[in-house]
Amino acid sequence: MIIAKSFLLLLCFIALVNGESSPDEAVIMIALRDSLNLTGSLNWSGSDPCKWSLVQCDDTSNRVTAIQIGGKGISGTLPPDLGNLTSLTKFEVMRNHLTGPIPSLAGLKSLVTVYANDNDFTSVPVDFFTGLSSLQSVSLDNNPFVSWKIPPSLEDATALADFSAVNCNLSGEIPGFLGGKNFSSLTTLKLSYNSLVGELPMNFSESRVEILMLNGQKGAEKLHGSISVLQNMTALTNVTLQGNSFSGPLPNCSRLVSLKSFNVRENQLTGLVPPSLFELQSLSDVALGNNLLQGPTPNFTAPNIKPDMTGLNSFCLDTPGTPCDPRVNTLLSIVEAFGYPVNFAEKWKGNDPCNRWVGITCTGTDITVINFKNLGLNGTISPLFADLASLQVINLSQNNLSGTIPQELTKLSNLKTLDVSNNRLCGEVPVSNTTIFVVITSGNSDINKECPKSSGDGGKKASRNAGKIVGSVIGILLALLLIGFAIFLLVKKKKQYHKMHPQQQSSDQDAFKITIENLCTGGSESGFSGNDAHLGEAGNIVISIQVLRDATDNFDEKNILGRGGFGIVYKGELHDGTKIAVKRMESSIISGKGLDEFKSEIAVLTRVRHRNLVVLHGYCLEGNERLLVYQYMPQGTLSRHMFHWQEEGLKPLEWTRRLSIALDVARGVEYLHTLAHQSFIHRDLKPSNILLGDDMHAKVADFGLVRLAPEGTQSIETKIAGTFGYLAPEYAVTGRVTTKVDVYSFGVILMELLTGRKALDATRSEEEVHLATWFRRMFINKDSFPKAIDQTIEVNEETLGSINIVAELANQCSSREPRDRPDMNHVVNVLVSLVVQWKPTERSSDSDDIYGIDYDTPLPQLILDSSYFGDNTLMSIPSRPSELESTFKSGQGR
Ligand SMILES: *[C@@H]1O[C@H](CO)[C@@H](O)[C@H](O)[C@H]1NC(C)=O
Ligand SMILES: *[C@@H]1O[C@H](CO)[C@@H](O)[C@H](O)[C@H]1NC(C)=O
Ligand SMILES: *[C@@H]1O[C@H](CO)[C@@H](O)[C@H](O)[C@H]1NC(C)=O
Ligand SMILES: *[C@@H]1O[C@H](CO)[C@@H](O)[C@H](O)[C@H]1NC(C)=O
Ligand SMILES: *[C@@H]1O[C@H](CO)[C@@H](O)[C@H](O)[C@H]1NC(C)=O
Ligand SMILES: *[C@@H]1O[C@H](CO)[C@@H](O)[C@H](O)[C@H]1NC(C)=O
Ligand SMILES: *[C@@H]1O[C@H](CO)[C@@H](O)[C@H](O)[C@H]1NC(C)=O
Ligand SMILES: *[C@@H]1O[C@H](CO)[C@@H](O)[C@H](O)[C@H]1NC(C)=O
Ligand SMILES: *[C@@H]1O[C@H](CO)[C@@H](O)[C@H](O)[C@H]1NC(C)=O
């Protein structure tokens, strides 16, 4: 008996010792059983959980190691203390109807798997993963959690191989640590159908993930940004990113040698499908539809591939593998350097860039203008612009471009303007030794400075180029004025200044001196100290003296075109055959007055452009040299054709030709007076300042005497400049200048065109010396007038009508009283009617405007022309001459 009793006690004792902590675990397990509704699904009877079905215990310690009750139709909740089952390795309750919170399993060092997917759990505690250093597989899919984020505690789970949290109301961003070195075991990451936002972390570059599923994020924001990090994820086999907002180009897939399935449908991906993807031999499923992919439709070549090509993209042609037009390829390479922005991918459809592609303007099939102004572009300027040889204008202003301006752009022999203002460019501005084009670089604080180290390649390239450039010929060193901008700022500054110092008599002229001196002194860098920001933003076309020496055979006598008040004009030819006219002032003339005229001329010419005004290509201020470089006008001056045609072996000008020249001149002067954004007065209009092109169209030259008409005052008192014979009486007597001074001179030119006589001709009898006086006398008498007409003009019934009208006009223009003279726009209207009447088929010069650009007119007009660049903020409405002339001020000349 006693022995039997003792034996029983012993058994009990053994039992007790054996399950040292199992009573605790039993309590927890019983609590679990009680909170679940196990009706019939599991046999969990008795008090020893180690005997329950689908529960496993450790043989020696009797501790619960596994609870695997998935798919048993169980409802109920989980008790809070499951985390006390310290030996638990597997906790699998998936595919039931469990509700309530998932309890914390923090600290379960042995836990390997947690499957809680496909239940009705309501939350995951923030510390759920704390200390789960053995955790390998987690599935939380398909639970209606309150919105939650992947908890930081997951960072402890460094053994993780398979993490799945699909469709479980996950929000926030994908934590970077999942892609990091510590998670090198992670091979499956499924986070589909949540509300994740943010980008694919760059850390994933080191990830060994094979299966990556991030598709179908809900909400407006979704996952976005680049997927370029995929190119380093060499273990990838299955990638599904469908239905997000990923953008930018597809990754280079050449290292993704295991990739079998690649689904990026319904994103915002742009750019070319890389050959590394469509030639990838491991690939069997690929879906690219409903993106903005560009270039040729890919021709997938893997043996068993089933490409899903449904949905839209922006491929150039539908047939797989058919190459795009070369222009398309080049444009795509150019926007590649900007990261293939969505804007272009959406709007560049088909295979013809000349068919209304945004930012592209063509002449015929040649791309002549690229205007990417203010498109928020990032990235760099591609050297491949150089492949579009027909380009005349490149406008990349007001973007966020970095790096350098590629040297290759100097190969563009037709390029006239490169506007890169207001970006973040650095390094040297490239110079060409063959062509002249304007580079506008204002608003780039690091331009002409070494690139910051971070921009790596760009910096190296710039200094390499700088090396090449040393001693090179054409130095379009500084880029050009955003002239309108400079003026705008100057005027603004002046106004502010006047507000602060109302008694101070500053002037635009002075402001301009500052600008020009800042520009020109000391060559390429010193003018741009950066302290004087708005002045420093000015720039101009600087051409090196060496180029001009080469172009003019070192200013050889035989190249002299003419001599003027301020210097000698030489003919020159650049390496590429472009002809130029170089106006050179010897150092002796340049001091004082000459230098002022020179600066005045630069200031005006860089601000005023028109097809009937001679184009200034650039200038040179080196040492004592002061040179201006103009467009070469092959037919020379109007006076050559009017007064020297016999010596030169030319034909006398026909009347209709004279009419059209008069109209050209009138238009140029009208522009000066009213259409340029501020009013200018030429002050020295005469036939030797009117130049003719091969088409015999005229341009007005020599603005050296022009003075800027200041705002707010109606006339300018200044020292007399001009040429006798053309001087308006009030100007000659008082020195006061209004636009009517030019109208007077123009009237004299009309008289010259009518009579073939010079404005002043000392060889004639006294009463005929002064043309204007003589003409008026002859005109009054209808009988004498026909004798005044140039003998070389064929006067017939047809011409006589217009001769009479022009004579009347000449008379009005040269009226003694300024108020009796018409405005230039009236003159233009009168002449237009005559030219149209006589030459009905001649294209009016306005019809030359394609897209509003006069390609003969390099810079400022393009800038100022709001119809093209679309942004009119820098322009002010021109003041009409009628407003300018109404009062005369007396006082000392300035
Ligand atoms: C347990 O499940 C049965 C059948 O699914 C159901 O009828 C019963 O109401 C449930 N009991 C509890 C307490 O949830
Ligand atoms: C449940 O298991 C116990 C032993 O663990 C057994 O005795 C009993 O018969 C089982 N019941 C059913 C319904 O299977
Ligand atoms: C679980 O462990 C905690 C602390 O270790 C303890 O406070 C709690 O009472 C335990 N729960 C059960 C049911 O043993
Ligand atoms: C996700 O969480 C939010 C906020 O907790 C909740 O309003 C919403 O109903 C949840 N969505 C789902 C599908 O459970
Ligand atoms: C790919 O890896 C290389 C080397 O580790 C790194 O320099 C590069 O930035 C990575 N690229 C991406 C897109 O993550
Ligand atoms: C991976 O992609 C292959 C090819 O499409 C497919 O057969 C396989 O089932 C996918 N694996 C997973 C886990 O999705
Ligand atoms: C597409 O690829 C196949 C297989 O490599 C090739 O035979 C075919 O010529 C390619 N088509 C085009 C248009 O390049
Ligand atoms: C340039 O980068 C900014 C900031 O990353 C971005 O918001 C913008 O969309 C980018 N621009 C383009 C055209 O891609
Ligand atoms: C222009 O410069 C390049 C290199 O800077 C040189 O190779 C080329 O010969 C030069 N061309 C002329 C016409 O001087």
Side-chain angles (χ1 to χ4, degrees):
M1 271 290 283
I2 292 168
I3 292 172
K5 256 189 176 174
S6 304
F7 183 68
L8 251 166
L9 278 170
L10 185 66
L11 273 181
C12 287
F13 179 75
I14 290 169
L16 277 172
V17 169
N18 214 10
E20 202 176 352
S21 16
S22 47
D24 288 347
E25 298 213 330
V27 170
I28 294 163
M29 291 301 288
I30 286 161
L32 174 62
R33 181 176 65 191
D34 291 347
S35 67
L36 299 176
N37 184 349
L38 297 172
T39 358
S41 53
L42 291 172
N43 183 356
W44 277 13
S45 53
S47 58
D48 184 359
C50 296
K51 300 214 170 81
W52 297 351
S53 59
L54 305 179
V55 174
Q56 288 177 25
C57 294
D58 181 89
D59 285 344
T60 51
S61 68
N62 255 348
R63 287 168 175 276
V64 176
T65 54
I67 300 168
Q68 294 169 292
I69 54 173
K72 298 294 173 190
I74 302 164
S75 55
T77 60
L78 298 177
D81 287 324
L82 287 177
N84 290 25
L85 300 172
T86 50
S87 297
L88 197 62
T89 59
K90 294 178 183 172
F91 181 70
E92 300 173 5
V93 297
M94 64 285 185
R95 298 197 303 280
N96 285 303
H97 310 290
L98 302 173
T99 62
I102 297 180
S104 172
L105 299 180
L108 297 187
K109 288 197 184 63
S110 311
L111 193 63
V112 176
T113 54
V114 173
Y115 295 150
N117 52 295
D118 299 279
N119 279 290
D120 296 317
F121 289 120
T122 54
S123 64
V124 183
V126 172
D127 68 345
F128 184 80
F129 299 100
T130 305
L132 303 190
S133 53
S134 303
L135 190 64
Q136 290 177 15
S137 292
V138 175
S139 177
L140 301 170
D141 304 352
N142 306 318
N143 278 294
F145 298 134
V146 295
S147 180
W148 65 299
K149 296 182 165 61
I150 294 179
S153 61
L154 185 62
E155 197 163 358
D156 291 356
T158 50
L160 207 58
D162 184 338
F163 186 82
S164 186
V166 171
N167 186 32
C168 57
N169 215 5
L170 204 47
S171 59
E173 304 193 357
I174 302 171
F177 63 76
L178 283 176
K181 280 200 204 67
N182 291 344
F183 280 72
S184 57
S185 314
L186 187 67
T187 55
T188 301
L189 181 62
K190 298 181 182 173
L191 301 171
S192 315
Y193 306 112
N194 285 298
S195 304
L196 292 171
V197 297
E199 304 196 7
L200 201 48
M202 288 311 279
N203 302 34
F204 277 81
S205 166
E206 302 181 50
S207 168
R208 304 300 302 159
V209 164
E210 295 165 16
I211 295 170
L212 179 65
M213 303 181 94
L214 302 173
N215 52 304
Q217 300 305 322
K218 299 161 195 167
E221 202 173 333
K222 307 185 181 201
L223 292 168
H224 61 263
S226 164
I227 59 170
S228 63
V229 68
L230 295 185
Q231 77 190 42
N232 280 348
M233 297 173 67
T234 53
L236 284 172
T237 60
N238 298 53
V239 176
T240 305
L241 306 178
Q242 179 171 354
N244 279 292
S245 298
F246 287 115
S247 59
L250 290 169
N252 179 330
C253 299
S254 52
R255 296 168 64 210
L256 309 190
V257 291
S258 307
L259 192 64
K260 291 194 289 248
S261 164
F262 187 70
N263 177 357
V264 294
R265 285 180 65 87
E266 293 155 32
N267 281 285
Q268 299 262 293
L269 298 170
T270 53
L272 305 182
V273 179
S276 58
L277 177 62
F278 62 77
E279 289 171 357
L280 196 63
Q281 296 303 298
S282 57
L283 209 56
S284 63
D285 282 296
V286 61
L288 306 176
N290 292 337
N291 278 290
L292 296 163
L293 296 168
Q294 297 161 285
T297 301
N299 185 17
F300 288 97
T301 60
N304 298 310
I305 195 158
K306 299 181 293 289
D308 171 2
M309 296 307 287
T310 59
L312 297 175
N313 266 303
S314 299
F315 297 129
C316 63
L317 294 164
D318 292 337
T319 322
T322 314
C324 302
D325 185 288
R327 295 167 301 164
V328 173
N329 292 338
T330 303
L331 287 171
L332 291 177
S333 308
I334 286 169
V335 297
E336 179 182 12
F338 308 142
Y340 294 117
V342 164
N343 187 23
F344 297 123
E346 278 175 341
K347 293 181 182 148
W348 286 2
K349 300 285 188 196
N351 200 26
D352 180 6
C354 294
N355 183 14
R356 291 180 294 135
W357 278 25
V358 67
I360 308 297
T361 302
C362 299
T363 301
T365 57
D366 291 335
I367 297 174
T368 48
V369 178
I370 288 189
N371 180 9
F372 294 165
K373 177 181 174 178
N374 196 10
L375 295 176
L377 300 177
N378 305 310
T380 60
I381 302 175
S382 169
L384 293 164
F385 273 102
D387 290 357
L388 296 171
S390 50
L391 272 179
Q392 298 178 358
V393 176
I394 302 175
N395 186 349
L396 302 173
S397 61
Q398 297 179 35
N399 287 297
N400 199 21
L401 300 174
S402 54
T404 58
I405 304 172
Q407 175 71 24
E408 285 82 350
L409 300 198
T410 61
K411 292 183 200 152
L412 288 167
S413 58
N414 294 304
L415 191 63
K416 299 212 164 71
T417 305
L418 171 63
D419 186 349
V420 294
S421 55
N422 299 308
N423 279 288
R424 298 190 295 120
L425 298 167
C426 59
E428 295 279 335
V429 177
V431 294
S432 165
N433 51 8
T434 49
T435 55
I436 291 182
F437 60 88
V438 175
V439 188
I440 306 169
T441 58
S442 53
N444 288 278
S445 53
D446 283 342
I447 203 76
N448 286 318
K449 292 183 197 158
E450 201 135 313
C451 290
K453 286 244 161 60
S454 57
S455 61
D457 285 356
K460 266 181 249 151
K461 205 171 161 197
S463 45
R464 207 176 55 226
N465 284 342
K468 265 198 256 167
I469 288 161
V470 171
S472 91
V473 202
I474 287 206
I476 304 172
L477 289 177
L478 300 179
L480 248 252
L481 285 182
L482 241 170
I483 288 129
F485 192 52
I487 291 162
F488 173 79
L489 287 172
L490 285 168
V491 168
K492 204 168 154 185
K493 186 190 177 189
K494 184 185 153 198
K495 279 186 187 156
Q496 285 163 355
Y497 186 71
H498 282 186
K499 255 180 231 158
M500 289 184 296
H501 312 272
Q503 76 285 12
Q504 189 91 24
Q505 289 304 306
S506 172
S507 72
D508 283 351
Q509 200 72 38
D510 295 337
F512 255 91
K513 260 180 215 156
I514 298 167
T515 312
I516 289 170
E517 269 153 18
N518 268 9
L519 280 178
C520 306
T521 50
S524 60
E525 262 153 22
S526 59
F528 293 84
S529 62
N531 298 335
D532 208 351
H534 50 275
L535 291 177
E537 271 166 359
N540 216 322
I541 322 169
V542 181
I543 299 174
S544 86
I545 185 75
Q546 193 50 48
V547 177
L548 299 179
R549 287 220 171 92
D550 291 353
T552 59
D553 301 329
N554 202 13
F555 302 109
D556 195 296
E557 292 253 324
K558 72 172 191 294
N559 287 324
I560 291 180
L561 288 171
R563 291 168 202 268
F566 306 106
I568 301 174
V569 183
Y570 295 85
K571 179 181 172 178
E573 188 169 333
L574 300 175
H575 287 299
D576 68 346
T578 304
K579 294 200 172 65
I580 54 176
V582 182
K583 186 173 180 182
R584 182 195 202 193
M585 281 151 247
E586 298 298 343
S587 44
S588 56
I589 316 174
I590 287 158
S591 53
K593 184 186 172 199
L595 190 58
D596 285 347
E597 304 298 352
F598 185 81
K599 290 176 175 179
S600 168
E601 187 152 12
I602 294 175
V604 173
L605 274 178
T606 50
R607 294 171 63 182
V608 180
R609 296 296 169 104
H610 186 267
R611 81 189 72 242
N612 296 120
L613 300 177
V614 166
V615 173
L616 174 68
H617 281 317
Y619 70 88
C620 170
L621 292 179
E622 274 180 44
N624 284 329
E625 293 283 4
R626 302 284 183 270
L627 302 114
L628 291 172
V629 181
Y630 293 103
Q631 171 186 28
Y632 175 65
M633 297 292 287
Q635 289 301 324
T637 64
L638 177 60
S639 49
R640 174 173 175 253
H641 289 264
M642 285 296 301
F643 309 125
H644 307 289
W645 54 275
Q646 278 161 314
E647 303 112 87
E648 303 257 352
L650 301 166
K651 281 192 198 143
L653 292 172
E654 291 166 16
W655 174 242
T656 51
R657 179 56 63 200
R658 295 181 197 210
L659 269 181
S660 91
I661 289 169
L663 176 57
D664 288 340
V665 174
R667 280 184 159 142
V669 176
E670 180 196 31
Y671 181 80
L672 279 177
H673 286 181
T674 64
L675 300 179
H677 66 289
Q678 238 177 323
S679 192
F680 295 101
I681 302 164
H682 188 292
R683 301 206 298 166
D684 198 14
L685 272 182
K686 55 184 176 181
S688 59
N689 278 339
I690 293 166
L691 299 177
L692 299 171
D694 271 332
D695 57 2
M696 294 303 281
H697 273 289
K699 292 179 197 270
V700 177
D702 207 341
F703 300 98
L705 300 174
V706 173
R707 283 288 181 276
L708 192 62
E711 267 189 316
T713 56
Q714 273 67 38
S715 74
I716 311 166
E717 306 86 34
T718 180
K719 53 188 183 288
I720 303 259
T723 304
F724 291 116
Y726 303 88
L727 287 182
E730 79 281 5
Y731 177 37
V733 171
T734 67
R736 289 171 197 157
V737 180
T738 68
T739 53
K740 291 297 172 71
V741 162
D742 287 344
V743 178
Y744 183 93
S745 306
F746 183 78
V748 176
I749 293 167
L750 288 182
M751 292 173 185
E752 293 182 312
L753 290 168
L754 283 161
T755 63
R757 293 177 178 224
K758 292 183 187 174
L760 278 184
D761 191 344
T763 64
R764 295 189 187 268
S765 67
E766 199 168 327
E767 68 230 31
E768 297 186 14
V769 167
H770 186 228
L771 176 61
T773 310
W774 175 76
F775 185 90
R776 265 195 290 274
R777 209 165 45 240
M778 298 296 280
F779 183 69
I780 290 165
N781 184 339
K782 292 293 168 215
D783 295 333
S784 66
F785 179 62
K787 283 180 231 149
I789 298 168
D790 189 345
Q791 298 304 305
T792 67
I793 296 176
E794 196 184 326
V795 182
N796 55 36
E797 266 181 44
E798 272 184 323
T799 53
L800 194 58
S802 66
I803 287 173
N804 284 327
I805 292 170
V806 172
E808 174 67 41
L809 188 63
N811 212 31
Q812 282 172 14
C813 287
S814 300
S815 300
R816 281 184 207 284
E817 291 299 327
R819 65 171 173 272
D820 295 336
R821 298 173 207 152
D823 290 339
M824 285 314 289
N825 68 347
H826 172 79
V827 173
V828 168
N829 289 340
V830 171
L831 291 171
V832 162
S833 67
L834 300 179
V835 168
V836 166
Q837 175 191 330
W838 280 92
K839 302 201 114 194
T841 55
E842 187 180 44
R843 289 192 308 168
S844 92
S845 43
D846 293 335
S847 69
D848 294 347
D849 285 65
I850 306 170
Y851 311 109
I853 299 182
D854 176 4
Y855 293 121
D856 289 340
T857 306
L859 170 64
Q861 183 156 359
L862 290 179
I863 293 169
L864 298 176
D865 188 343
S866 58
S867 65
Y868 180 66
F869 285 109
D871 176 347
N872 201 16
T873 53
L874 303 180
M875 278 185 70
S876 54
I877 301 299
S879 43
R880 308 295 298 188
S882 50
E883 294 164 15
L884 281 168
E885 78 203 12
S886 52
T887 8
F888 285 78
K889 244 171 74 181
S890 59
Q892 289 253 290
R894 284 190 280 155

